[in-house]
Amino acid sequence: MMQISPLAGKPAPPDILVDIPRLVSAYYTDKPDPAVPAQRVAFGTSGHRGSSFTRSFNEDHILAITQSICLYRKAHRIDGPLFMGMDTHALSVPALHTALEVLAANGVTVRLAATDEYTPTPVISHAIVGYNQGRKNGWADGIVITPSHNPPHDGGFKYNPPQGGGAATAVTEWIQAKSNELLDNSLKGVKRMLLEKARRAATTQTHDYLHPYVADLGHVLDLDAIRGGGLRLGVDPLGGAGVHYWGAIAAYYRLDLTVVNPAVDPTFRFMAVDWDGQIRMDPSSAYAMQGLIKLKDTFDVAFACDTDHDRHGIVTRSHGLLPPNHYLTVCVDYLFRHRPDWGSAAAVGKSVVTSQLLERAATRLGRRVFETPVGFKWFAEGLLDGSLGLAAEESAGAAFSRRNGQVWTTDKDGFIPALLAAEMTARLGHDPGELYQDLTHALGDPVTALAEAPATLAQRQKLAALTASQVTSTELAGEKITAILTQAPGNHAPIGGLKVTTENGWFAARPSGTEAIYKVYGESFLGAEHLAKIMAQAQEMVDAALAKS
């Protein structure tokens, strides 16, 4: 179970800061051994992630993945521009340079922000979706270089196909297999040119990502209401890719919005330490968010986003940092009541480990729920065609339609749920914490828990392969088990773990798709004592599964 570090919630001490020169040097000099499973290309929930220190995110990986993407584009006749952006992790700039060398050598038209400016994940999705609307050929796609909220020593590399969101499993499996084939063959078949030549290539183009995105926000949010409400707003970009976007948003829409920390530093030394003693830019963590939580009385509403700005965290005067499930429930209730142009068939998308409270809120409003495995890629098609009005996952990721019901982005967007907190406060006169409390009177007030622990690759594979037959009990915490799920109800895709439900509670166990840990989620509508029993029974099952040879 989770062991809370004595450093949790405190300023990062110098001795845990990553050595950036060593990290970048290892990216270029250390070579992965394809015979070692942990050093091969592996697409998790969203893209390939790793660290150059562990030979899991090095130049060879990016050469192989980028060449594989070029081959995938050619095989599927994707010949429009490729929109590429990066976050503020130290390995993002080297990875972008490596990718550009391969893309230019393959004749791919690449659109980059000028002067190596950082580009948030949702902005890449917004650009792809906008470019492809109405096209029957010449489609664009994209690459986002980010390990999301992972620690500073990590890097990440994600492919977004023409639908604009995370690639489907079949796509990532193809790219992963081709990448590992290239690694096995000492990168034979990888095309590459010098960076200086790649930058001068006619196919390398600059693109204004910031201004079109900012100017379009008024079509997804009621920015006039926010301005008219006279709210004092605060935002902490957590040193991430949206750091220069917030000031532009404030200026364009004339908002009283203060960026409380504009610093960008690849060590992320300004962060409070997360639960496990690591630096992690997680806007849903009460430990990592200590800096903004301490300012809660300074603003009417405050918010933060993670490093690539696809996740959000909401801080209110009334309740401090809201748990993601609480705020997402408020979003369901608010959006489907205050977006009259959304179609009556627009549904709510949620992952299997997102609170059951969202389903109760949706059902009360007569909205269908589409439940999927963890991973926002499962929502991309529904967001694109408008069958999903809102898609949300428990790790503080969400996206929703424009005010007219049309697609905004097909990837998570941290900006819009953050600003939505201001919109609902301005229009209703209550902040999201107060609105959540009102909802619990009708929907119930669940308690939740999340346990995380380190896990080897072999252990994570065991958890991903859990089956219903491994649940031998007919009861969970004194209640009859109503379902044992290894597939998501919405699309019948494997959830990569197990979920057990009763009338008033549930737990799910699964390996993380982004870090070397496993997670056990639990929820109870009967209180903390009932939840403790659920989590204890869940942990017994996980321990038994991991103990098997």
Side-chain angles (χ1 to χ4, degrees):
M1 300 293 284
M2 292 175 65
Q3 296 294 321
I4 305 301
S5 167
L7 296 176
K10 299 177 181 178
D15 61 342
I16 72 167
L17 300 180
V18 66
D19 185 331
I20 300 299
R22 280 189 60 238
L23 183 74
V24 174
S25 177
Y27 171 83
Y28 290 108
T29 60
D30 289 5
K31 301 296 181 181
D33 181 353
V36 178
Q39 296 180 25
R40 293 173 71 80
V41 171
F43 278 74
T45 305
S46 183
H48 173 81
R49 301 186 190 185
S51 174
S52 59
F53 286 151
T54 57
R55 290 182 168 85
S56 53
F57 193 93
N58 302 81
E59 185 179 46
D60 283 4
H61 295 105
I62 305 309
L63 290 168
I65 296 170
T66 309
Q67 183 63 48
S68 298
I69 289 171
C70 291
L71 295 172
Y72 178 84
R73 295 181 99 243
K74 185 175 182 180
H76 292 81
R77 299 181 181 178
I78 302 168
D79 53 7
L82 184 144
F83 294 93
M84 186 160 64
M86 64 176 179
D87 76 358
T88 55
H89 277 79
L91 292 175
S92 294
V93 170
L96 182 138
H97 290 167
T98 301
L100 182 60
E101 292 173 357
V102 176
L103 293 166
N106 280 272
V108 175
T109 298
V110 181
R111 295 191 175 177
L112 299 169
T115 65
D116 280 351
E117 176 59 82
Y118 310 112
T119 308
T121 288
V123 178
I124 295 292
S125 179
H126 180 267
I128 297 169
V129 169
Y131 184 90
N132 287 337
Q133 278 191 327
R135 291 183 182 271
K136 298 189 183 303
N137 51 54
W139 293 310
D141 55 359
I143 290 173
V144 187
I145 302 172
T146 174
S148 189
H149 62 293
N150 278 30
H153 54 66
D154 279 358
F157 202 85
K158 185 173 76 168
Y159 175 63
N160 284 23
Q163 41 82 332
T169 302
V171 178
T172 56
E173 286 179 347
W174 191 96
I175 294 172
Q176 175 179 303
K178 183 59 67 174
S179 300
N180 285 320
E181 180 183 316
L182 289 168
L183 287 178
D184 288 336
N185 289 283
S186 303
L187 299 176
K188 289 179 181 177
V190 173
K191 297 180 181 179
R192 185 182 190 184
M193 67 171 59
L194 292 174
L195 178 61
E196 184 180 355
K197 185 178 178 182
R199 284 196 175 280
R200 293 199 310 264
T203 52
T204 301
Q205 304 170 356
T206 57
H207 182 77
D208 181 4
Y209 285 104
L210 187 151
H211 294 99
Y213 178 85
V214 170
D216 208 14
L217 281 169
H219 292 105
V220 71
L221 296 156
D222 189 348
L223 276 303
D224 292 336
I226 298 175
R227 182 174 59 254
L231 300 179
R232 188 175 186 198
L233 308 173
V235 61
D236 189 343
L238 301 183
V243 64
H244 297 140
Y245 281 67
W246 290 107
I249 291 169
Y252 190 90
Y253 293 102
R254 304 194 305 281
L255 305 180
D256 183 0
L257 173 62
T258 300
V259 179
V260 301
N261 180 17
V264 174
D265 179 340
T267 67
F268 294 90
R269 67 181 69 238
F270 46 77
M271 289 294 302
V273 178
D274 205 8
W275 67 273
D276 58 353
Q278 294 202 70
I279 296 174
R280 189 178 285 109
M281 290 61 69
D282 183 354
S284 66
S285 166
Y287 299 107
M289 285 279 282
Q290 276 300 301
L292 192 59
I293 292 171
K294 290 174 182 177
L295 297 175
K296 75 179 184 67
D297 294 325
T298 306
F299 304 104
D300 294 301
V301 182
F303 29 81
C305 291
D306 69 337
T307 329
D308 65 322
H309 270 54
D310 69 346
R311 304 185 193 211
H312 61 273
I314 309 299
V315 176
T316 67
R317 281 182 172 173
S318 65
H319 290 78
L321 177 67
L322 295 186
N325 283 317
H326 292 193
Y327 179 59
L328 292 171
T329 302
V330 174
C331 289
V332 170
D333 189 74
Y334 176 83
L335 283 168
F336 285 97
R337 293 181 188 275
H338 293 86
R339 293 297 187 265
D341 292 332
W342 285 11
S344 60
V348 175
K350 67 178 285 289
S351 70
V352 292
V353 295
T354 304
S355 174
Q356 202 69 18
L357 202 61
L358 271 76
E359 187 165 344
R360 294 187 179 190
T363 300
R364 186 172 74 150
L365 294 168
R367 296 289 175 166
R368 180 176 62 89
V369 174
F370 178 68
E371 193 168 12
T372 73
V374 173
F376 214 75
K377 61 187 177 185
W378 303 107
F379 303 127
E381 293 297 338
L383 289 167
L384 188 64
D385 64 21
S387 59
L388 294 178
L390 165 73
E393 58 183 14
E394 84 299 333
S395 55
F400 48 87
S401 298
R402 294 170 181 264
R403 294 161 71 182
N404 66 2
Q406 299 299 306
V407 60
W408 169 250
T409 65
T410 52
D411 216 333
K412 297 190 293 286
D413 188 333
F415 291 100
I416 60 172
L419 290 166
L420 185 69
E423 178 190 321
M424 62 179 69
T425 302
R427 293 184 66 175
L428 302 181
H430 298 283
D431 71 37
E434 296 166 326
L435 296 173
Y436 175 77
Q437 286 303 310
D438 289 343
L439 284 176
T440 62
H441 299 313
L443 303 177
D445 190 6
V447 287
T448 61
L450 170 61
E452 299 178 335
T456 65
L457 177 61
Q459 289 173 325
R460 298 199 304 276
Q461 289 172 339
K462 287 181 181 179
L463 289 178
L466 286 171
T467 64
S469 64
Q470 290 174 261
V471 180
T472 57
S473 176
T474 59
E475 291 189 346
L476 174 63
E479 286 196 304
K480 181 181 177 182
I481 291 174
T482 55
I484 302 172
L485 304 175
T486 56
Q487 294 182 335
N491 60 2
H492 307 293
I495 64 176
L498 187 78
K499 181 177 182 180
V500 179
T501 68
T502 68
E503 182 181 356
N504 293 294
W506 59 269
F507 80 82
R510 55 176 289 271
S512 171
T514 59
E515 296 185 79
I517 59 176
Y518 73 79
K519 300 185 178 188
V520 179
Y521 309 78
E523 180 172 56
S524 170
F525 283 82
L526 298 181
E529 185 177 345
H530 184 241
L531 176 64
K533 292 178 180 178
I534 289 175
M535 294 298 288
Q537 197 168 333
Q539 192 63 49
E540 287 176 7
M541 193 203 72
V542 170
D543 291 343
L546 295 181
K548 286 188 176 181
S549 58

